[in-house]
């Protein structure tokens, strides 16, 4: 394959030139350009919403780009369908793996490209031989007939890698492959990646872990807010430099914290446990306080939040609000007690995307505008309008379908939903995920204002600067347990990370 | 709050523009299609626009219309009900069979109650046991049909009762009683679905069940209630049909469930829930009614009607899905 392109040998394998991509209300990529050399491991870093995922989806042919050019082997390419990218030698391994759980390993690898023998019978022998060849080339072996659903996530990832190799992929893109792996599994993955590199494959490796990027990659490109920030040589860079490139500004630069008055204890959680999810969780939240809940994805923060909100049953412990004990597993009761939850995935859990702005705003508090069960249009409009103004939601009107609002404005609608309900405690699970920087700042100010007005707030976030910048107190969760507690003054990124990563 | 008034006025003017947005145009499409069909038939046949014929269309549409209005609830909440045709037949059978024994009023009551209970059973199967709505209602469809067959001994049941016959054949002034019933059902349903908290929750649950639960809504209740509503309205349409024909055949009502779904879907109600409205369904009912009537007036082969109806359903859904994908 490569031979045909010898003319272009001195050009990079992949060149991305001024690529832009717009989504309704968001500029996901803004004239991004960099290149990837043949045979290198190229790290891609950036915060959530920096545009990494959008970029790889364009490379994979999932999204069309709006403008700009992409050269592969020096030839301009414009993939409209994933198989076009695949057939040219670009394979993407997504965070959410794309395997058929009910089929075995080998069937997954040859899915859609099975070999046939006489009378279109599956040529299992030939597939098995090729499977062995592929396995040999990376140096590990799976029993080919194990069902994918019986494999661990790490093993499934290996199957994806085998599949990519079987496609003769020259460029393999991995989107946060280590995010759900154990340390040992991660080590194995590194070995495989290095082996692939030794065979002349090119790898784009996306990760949130900077150390990992520096250790593994040859060069690292950083994206921020949909823009290209720069590419650095891994041997000559430092963690600080890359974080600096990623963050640009510290949250302290855009949001100024000042002391807030604290009120009485609103919520108290005692010895809350649920098998396999969290254990022995105890804490209190006061009115007017922002309690940060830090930790890695999967540490159990969302589960605790759901338990408080009555969406999860728990095995032991109790939750009390203003001295009254909440019955487990009753969302209606938690809401009545004055608790609101901004879920992690607002599109799935927070909003009815096909309904209007006004209808979403009043959803949790419809009773107030429909005293006898009949919705009073004027009351509803007034209530929605008041929230729309208070939160400065940018929309053509109250009847705008929520699906067409930008991420930041959608998030404000979820806020508004609970503010209309007049909640006393807001649990914010990743409140700034997927929204752009300007909107983030507005959300920070809103959180601060809410706390100042006497609301209690639990802030769950993966972005440490966010937690550090906003919280009065910080709890760190690690593998289902609270491993550290800091006051605002004590806390630092390093301390939190240490508590979040230590082996319990 | 002086500026509040200004904003309110501003948003009012925006509301007008909102009426012409894409989604709205799509739902107006059905009305435009209906008007075109009516114009075409009016030009082709003098008989078509005569009041007697129009009333005829209305009356013929009423039976399936009552059921389709009920189906709209279930489809919007994200469900699906195949059992309504059987419920319709059984309701008619119960009304006709019990009438000589317990009198008109009680027999109607039993028939309607049966509809509600059948709907609640569907609802419980779907909500509590998590049975797929398609499968659950398919099972109930067969069970109800089986009960009717047993009850009637597989023979057509006749009703000579004059007052019972009035429900299907009587007039209120110049308006046939079935049309009156259909109108009342439509107005009540439209009020419930579009003006009450109950109706809003139906849209919310159908649009995003998880987000509704996260907002404190008891999603299961609203799903089950929707099934009960369609059960009730199916039974009502069964009573009207039985009264009009003064008889109930063992297979009475069979196939009506599909016409009801077709009417709702042609009107723009989404099979995946969260979208649709009563007046759109009514427009869909009239489209089917006008097709029936028009084909008869034009003396077109009856069999081709089915082909035409089928094509319209598929086209309506395809158009809907296509327009959604584009935005």
């Amino acid at each position: 394959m490569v031979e045909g392109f010898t003319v272009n040998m001195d050009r990079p394998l992949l060149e991305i030139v001024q690529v832009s991509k717009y989504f309704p209300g968001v500029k996901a990529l803004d004239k991004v350009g960099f290149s990837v050399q043949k045979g290198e491991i190229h790290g891609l870093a950036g915060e959530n919403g920096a545009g990494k995922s959008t970029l790889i989806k364009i490379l994979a042919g999932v999204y069309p780009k709006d403008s700009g050019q992409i050269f592969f082997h020096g030839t301009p390419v414009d993939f409209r369908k994933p198989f076009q990218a695949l057939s040219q030698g670009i394979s993407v391994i997504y965070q959410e793996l794309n395997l058929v759980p009910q089929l075995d390993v080998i069937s997954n690898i040859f899915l859609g490209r099975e070999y046939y023998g006489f009378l279109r019978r599956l040529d299992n022998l030939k597939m098995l031989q090729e499977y062995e060849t592929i396995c040999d080339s990376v140096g590990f072996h799976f029993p080919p007939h194990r069902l994918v659903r019986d494999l661990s996530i790490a093993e499934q990832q290996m199957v994806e890698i085998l599949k990519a190799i079987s496609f003769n992929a020259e460029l393999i893109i991995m989107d946060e492959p280590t995010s759900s792996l154990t340390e040992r599994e991660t080590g194995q993955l590194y070995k495989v990646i290095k082996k692939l590199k030794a065979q002349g494959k090119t790898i784009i490796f996306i990760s949130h872990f900077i150390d990992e990027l520096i250790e593994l990659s040859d060069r690292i490109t950083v994206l921020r807010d949909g823009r290209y920030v720069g590419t650095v040589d891994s041997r000559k860079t430092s963690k600080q430099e890359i974080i600096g490139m990623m963050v640009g500004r510290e949250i302290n630069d855009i949001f100024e914290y000042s002391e807030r008055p604290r009120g009485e204890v609103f919520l108290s959680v005692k010895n809350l446990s649920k098998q396999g999810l969290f254990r022995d969780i105890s804490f209190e939240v006061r009115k007017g306080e922002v309690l940060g809940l830090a930790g890695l994805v999967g540490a159990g923060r969302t589960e605790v939040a759901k338990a408080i909100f009555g969406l999860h049953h728990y095995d032991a412990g109790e939750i009390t609000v203003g001295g009254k004990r909440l019955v487990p597993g009753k969302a209606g009761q938690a809401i009545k007690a004055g608790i609101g939850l901004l879920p992690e995935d607002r599109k799935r859990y927070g909003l009815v995307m096909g309904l209007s702005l006004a209808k979403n705003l009043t959803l949790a508090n419809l009773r107030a505008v429909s005293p006898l069960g009949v919705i009073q249009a004027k009351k509803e409009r007034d209530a929605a309008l008041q929230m729309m103004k208070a939160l400065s939601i940018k929309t053509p009107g109250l009847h705008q379908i929520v699906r067409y609002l930008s991420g930041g404005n959608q998030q404000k609608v979820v806020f508004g939903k609970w503010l209309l309900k007049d909640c006393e405690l807001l649990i914010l699970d990743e409140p700034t995920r997927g929204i752009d920087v300007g909107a983030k700042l507005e959300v920070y100010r809103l959180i601060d204002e809410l706390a100042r007005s006497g609301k209690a707030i639990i802030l769950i976030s993966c972005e440490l600067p966010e937690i550090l910048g906003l919280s009065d107190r910080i709890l760190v969760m690690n593998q289902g347990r609270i491993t550290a507690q800091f006051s605002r003054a004590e806390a630092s990124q390093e301390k939190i990370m240490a508590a979040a990563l230590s082996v319990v | 709050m002086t500026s509040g008034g200004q904003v309110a006025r501003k948003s009012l003017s925006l509301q007008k523009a909102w009426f012409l947005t894409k989604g709205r145009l799509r739902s107006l499409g059905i009305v435009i299609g209906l008007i075109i069909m009516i114009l075409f038939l009016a030009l082709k046949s003098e008989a078509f626009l005569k009041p007697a014929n129009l009333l005829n269309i209305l009356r013929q549409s009423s039976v399936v219309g009552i059921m389709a209005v009920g189906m709209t609830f279930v489809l919007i909440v994200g469900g699906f009900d195949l059992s309504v045709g059987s419920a319709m037949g059984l309701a008619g059978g119960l009304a006709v069979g019990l009438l000589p024994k317990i009198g008109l009023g009680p027999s109607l009551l039993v028939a309607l109650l049966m509809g509600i209970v059948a709907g609640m059973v569907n609802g419980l199967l779907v909500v509590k046991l998590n049975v797929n709505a398609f499968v659950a209602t398919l099972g109930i469809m067969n069970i109800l049909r089986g009960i009717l067959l047993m009850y009637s001994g597989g023979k057509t049941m006749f009703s000579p009762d004059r007052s019972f016959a009035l429900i299907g054949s009587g007039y209120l002034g110049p308006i046939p009683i079935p049309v009156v019933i259909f109108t009342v059902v439509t107005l009540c349903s439209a009020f419930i679905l579009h003006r009450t908290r109950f109706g809003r929750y139906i849209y919310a649950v159908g649009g995003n069940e998880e987000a509704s639960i996260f907002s404190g809504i008891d999603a299961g209740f609203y799903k089950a209630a929707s099934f009960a509503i369609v059960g009730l309205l199916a039974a009502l349409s069964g009573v009207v049909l039985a009264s009009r024909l003064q008889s109930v055949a063992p297979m009475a009502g069979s196939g009506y469930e599909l016409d009801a779904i077709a009417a709702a879907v042609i009107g723009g109600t989404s099979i995946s829930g969260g979208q649709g409205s009563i007046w759109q369904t009514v427009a869909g009912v009239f489209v089917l009614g006008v097709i029936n009537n028009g084909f008869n007036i034009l003396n077109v082969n009856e069999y081709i009607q089915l082909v035409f109806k089928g094509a319209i359903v598929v086209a309506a859904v395809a158009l809907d899905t296509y327009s959604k994908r584009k935005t």
Side-chain angles (χ1 to χ4, degrees):
Chain A
M1 297 147 283
V2 193
E3 286 76 8
F5 295 94
T6 38
V7 199
N8 298 318
M9 269 308 266
D10 45 350
R11 285 186 72 163
L13 178 72
L14 177 76
E15 293 161 89
I16 298 163
V17 184
Q18 302 263 311
V19 168
S20 295
K21 175 76 190 171
Y22 304 87
F23 292 114
V26 188
K27 213 178 213 178
L29 286 179
D30 187 8
K31 296 184 185 143
V32 166
F34 64 96
S35 55
V36 177
Q37 297 296 337
K38 182 161 171 49
E40 79 168 328
I41 299 176
H42 197 102
L44 194 55
E47 290 188 289
N48 290 325
K52 297 167 300 189
S53 293
T54 309
L55 180 65
I56 63 167
K57 281 189 174 146
I58 288 174
L59 291 176
V62 177
Y63 296 150
K65 58 186 183 317
D66 290 338
S67 64
Q69 279 185 301
I70 295 170
F71 296 91
F72 191 57
H73 286 306
T75 325
V77 289
D78 188 14
F79 304 127
R80 293 295 160 137
K81 290 268 159 34
F83 74 81
Q84 294 171 331
L86 270 173
S87 62
Q88 297 255 346
I90 300 180
S91 267
V92 179
I93 298 169
Y94 295 99
Q95 253 172 304
E96 311 85 35
L97 302 174
N98 290 305
L99 297 170
V100 186
Q102 294 87 351
L103 292 181
D104 62 11
V105 170
I106 189 162
S107 307
N108 264 290
I109 287 177
F110 290 97
L111 194 64
R113 304 169 294 137
E114 293 83 355
Y115 291 126
Y116 293 107
F118 184 59
L119 287 176
R120 303 269 303 161
R121 274 186 66 232
L122 284 174
D123 192 345
N124 288 321
L125 189 67
K126 191 170 171 197
M127 285 192 272
L128 207 57
Q129 283 166 348
E130 184 163 327
Y131 177 77
E132 293 300 333
T133 323
I134 298 165
C135 285
D136 284 341
S137 71
V138 278
F140 60 82
H141 286 261
F142 273 132
H145 295 301
R146 273 187 66 191
L147 295 185
V148 162
R149 64 163 176 233
D150 298 332
L151 302 178
S152 72
I153 298 285
E155 290 171 323
Q156 292 187 18
Q157 223 161 38
M158 293 300 172
V159 176
E160 288 267 20
I161 292 174
L162 290 177
K163 190 171 171 179
I165 298 168
S166 77
F167 267 102
N168 259 320
E170 276 187 80
L171 174 62
I172 301 175
I173 304 173
M174 299 184 186
D175 190 1
E176 293 193 41
T178 56
S179 60
S180 43
L181 299 190
T182 65
E183 211 167 312
R184 223 186 92 233
E185 291 168 338
T186 304
Q188 283 169 344
L189 181 69
Y190 288 174
K191 268 190 214 152
V192 171
I193 291 175
K194 282 172 183 158
K195 201 146 197 170
L196 291 173
K197 183 192 166 175
Q199 287 167 11
K201 308 272 188 206
T202 309
I203 314 255
I204 295 180
F205 188 88
I206 298 177
S207 177
H208 270 308
F209 303 117
I210 315 293
D211 295 327
E212 171 174 283
L213 282 173
I214 294 178
E215 184 195 327
L216 196 64
S217 349
D218 300 305
R219 291 193 301 157
I220 300 167
T221 290
V222 180
L223 299 181
R224 182 175 71 222
D225 306 331
R227 296 200 182 90
Y228 171 78
V229 181
T231 303
V232 291
D233 189 325
S234 300
R235 282 161 305 181
K236 294 176 197 153
T237 189
S238 66
K239 191 174 179 180
Q240 282 68 28
E241 184 187 14
I242 291 180
I243 289 178
M245 291 166 79
M246 277 168 64
V247 188
R249 328 170 251 189
E250 284 291 316
I251 171 175
N252 293 333
D253 301 340
I254 56 173
F255 169 78
E256 189 125 2
Y257 174 88
S258 60
E259 198 68 34
R260 287 182 287 250
R262 273 187 238 178
E264 69 211 68
V265 171
F266 180 75
L267 171 92
S268 115
V269 176
K270 276 199 199 87
N271 306 104
L272 205 65
S273 296
K274 184 177 169 71
Q275 184 76 42
L277 288 179
F278 48 80
R279 216 165 80 205
D280 216 8
I281 303 291
S282 301
F283 62 87
E284 286 178 343
V285 194
R286 290 174 177 277
K287 287 189 175 176
E289 174 184 51
V290 177
L291 176 72
L293 204 48
L296 298 180
V297 173
R301 298 168 303 162
T302 298
E303 281 63 35
V304 170
K306 280 187 174 176
I308 295 172
F309 191 63
L311 292 165
H312 266 328
H313 284 274
Y314 39 87
D315 307 328
E318 62 171 27
I319 300 168
T320 49
V321 172
K324 260 196 281 179
R325 199 170 168 223
L326 289 187
V327 180
K330 287 231 160 91
Q333 208 205 10
I335 293 174
K336 251 188 218 134
I339 302 175
L341 171 67
L342 265 84
E344 194 177 12
D345 185 345
R346 64 176 168 272
K347 288 181 182 164
R348 189 161 162 206
Y349 300 111
L351 296 164
V352 183
M353 299 297 276
L355 286 185
S356 71
L357 173 68
K359 287 177 182 174
N360 270 288
L361 278 172
T362 54
L363 196 58
N365 197 31
L366 202 55
R367 236 162 244 283
V369 297
S370 56
L372 296 165
V374 179
I375 296 171
Q376 303 193 347
K378 190 182 174 308
K379 270 194 182 175
E380 176 170 37
R381 199 179 56 230
D382 289 350
L385 207 57
Q386 178 209 336
M387 262 310 135
M388 190 180 118
K389 281 197 317 178
L391 299 176
S392 50
I393 299 173
K394 288 178 208 85
T395 164
L398 284 174
H399 293 285
Q400 177 71 14
I401 301 298
V402 165
R403 180 178 297 119
Y404 304 120
L405 295 179
S406 72
N409 281 304
Q410 285 179 353
Q411 191 63 293
K412 287 187 196 167
V413 176
V414 191
F415 265 104
K417 186 168 88 174
W418 294 119
L419 296 183
L420 265 183
K421 181 78 195 164
D422 215 11
C423 283
E424 290 303 319
L425 167 70
L426 275 173
I427 307 173
L428 313 175
D429 196 354
E430 302 290 353
T432 60
R433 175 171 290 177
I435 65 182
D436 51 39
V437 174
K440 271 185 187 177
L441 179 57
E442 285 187 75
V443 169
Y444 297 152
R445 290 208 182 111
L446 183 60
I447 294 173
D448 185 52
E449 268 170 43
L450 291 174
R452 263 173 218 294
S453 72
K455 310 264 184 219
I457 290 179
I458 298 178
L459 172 66
I460 300 175
S461 175
C462 282
E463 294 180 36
L464 280 183
E466 202 166 281
I467 294 250
L468 284 165
L470 285 163
S471 315
D472 299 298
R473 256 182 335 126
I474 297 165
L475 300 180
V476 185
M477 277 190 75
N478 181 356
Q479 293 171 49
R481 304 216 302 201
I482 294 180
T483 47
Q485 183 166 185
F486 304 105
S487 69
R488 182 179 177 84
E490 295 164 347
S492 71
Q493 294 221 16
E494 290 71 25
K495 284 186 193 165
I496 293 176
M497 280 322 281
L501 288 168
S502 64
V503 181
V504 186
Chain B
M1 288 303 277
T2 43
S3 66
Q6 281 171 3
V7 177
R9 266 197 300 282
K10 205 173 150 202
S11 86
L12 276 178
S13 67
L14 284 168
Q15 279 173 29
K16 263 183 219 153
W18 148 82
F19 199 72
L20 292 173
T21 55
K22 260 184 206 159
R24 287 284 123 179
L25 281 178
R26 159 73 187 90
S27 53
L28 286 176
I30 180 70
V31 177
I32 295 164
L34 186 60
I35 291 171
I36 291 173
M37 275 167 56
I38 290 173
L39 286 177
F40 174 79
L41 286 167
L43 288 173
K44 279 282 182 186
S45 153
E46 285 176 21
F48 181 77
L49 276 186
K50 291 221 168 95
N53 187 52
L54 292 181
L55 273 181
N56 196 24
I57 295 178
L58 278 177
R59 187 173 55 204
Q60 283 169 352
S61 300
S62 293
V63 173
V64 71
I66 293 167
M67 185 190 275
V69 164
M71 189 65 82
T72 309
F73 281 85
V74 173
L75 289 177
I76 291 177
V77 88
F80 195 83
D81 194 345
L82 282 176
S83 72
V84 285
S86 294
M88 181 183 187
L90 182 56
L94 286 175
V96 167
L98 292 176
L99 199 152
K101 291 166 201 149
I102 59 175
L104 181 61
S107 67
L108 292 183
L109 200 65
V110 170
L112 297 183
L113 268 178
M114 181 282 305
I116 295 180
V117 171
M120 277 162 62
V121 171
N122 281 324
L124 292 179
L125 285 174
V126 171
V127 173
K128 292 286 174 200
L129 301 182
N130 268 321
V131 183
N132 173 290
F134 191 91
V135 179
T137 59
L138 184 68
I140 298 300
M141 170 180 107
N142 286 327
I143 289 170
L144 295 178
R145 181 63 63 194
I147 293 173
L148 175 60
L149 285 168
M150 287 189 287
Y151 184 65
S152 66
K155 291 195 263 306
T156 298
M157 304 160 78
F158 293 95
S159 166
D161 191 285
R162 297 281 296 276
S163 45
F164 178 62
L166 273 181
I167 302 171
S169 320
Y171 284 84
L172 190 75
I175 318 278
I177 300 235
V179 178
V180 174
I181 297 178
F182 179 37
T183 310
V184 171
V185 164
T186 300
L187 292 177
C188 289
S189 299
F191 179 78
I192 291 172
L193 200 52
H194 305 310
R195 295 275 175 266
T196 67
R197 189 160 69 216
F198 180 89
R200 175 68 55 78
Y201 285 170
I202 293 213
Y203 277 99
V205 170
N208 187 344
E209 189 175 344
E210 285 166 319
S212 303
I213 295 171
F214 270 67
S215 300
I217 298 169
D218 182 0
F221 170 78
Y222 292 93
K223 282 167 119 178
S226 302
F227 278 102
I229 289 173
V230 76
L232 169 68
L233 293 182
L236 181 59
S237 66
V239 169
V240 173
L241 183 69
S243 155
R244 168 137 188 84
L245 302 174
Q246 298 191 13
S247 67
V248 176
M251 293 309 286
S254 157
Y256 271 84
E257 67 278 352
L258 298 181
D259 275 354
I261 293 168
V265 165
I266 290 174
T269 301
S270 163
I271 274 293
S272 46
Q275 247 179 36
S277 70
I278 297 293
W279 69 266
Q280 280 174 281
T281 294
V282 170
V285 168
F286 287 147
V287 166
L288 289 181
V290 167
I291 290 173
N292 266 333
N293 183 269
F295 273 77
N296 292 340
I297 284 187
L298 298 179
N299 264 328
V300 183
N301 179 340
E302 208 179 307
Y303 303 142
I304 211 169
Q305 272 191 41
L306 268 180
V307 176
F308 195 70
K309 277 199 233 169
I312 286 195
V313 171
V314 175
V317 176
L319 187 74
D320 192 41
T321 317
Y322 180 75
S323 64
K324 251 189 238 160
R325 200 176 40 201
K326 275 189 91 175
T327 50

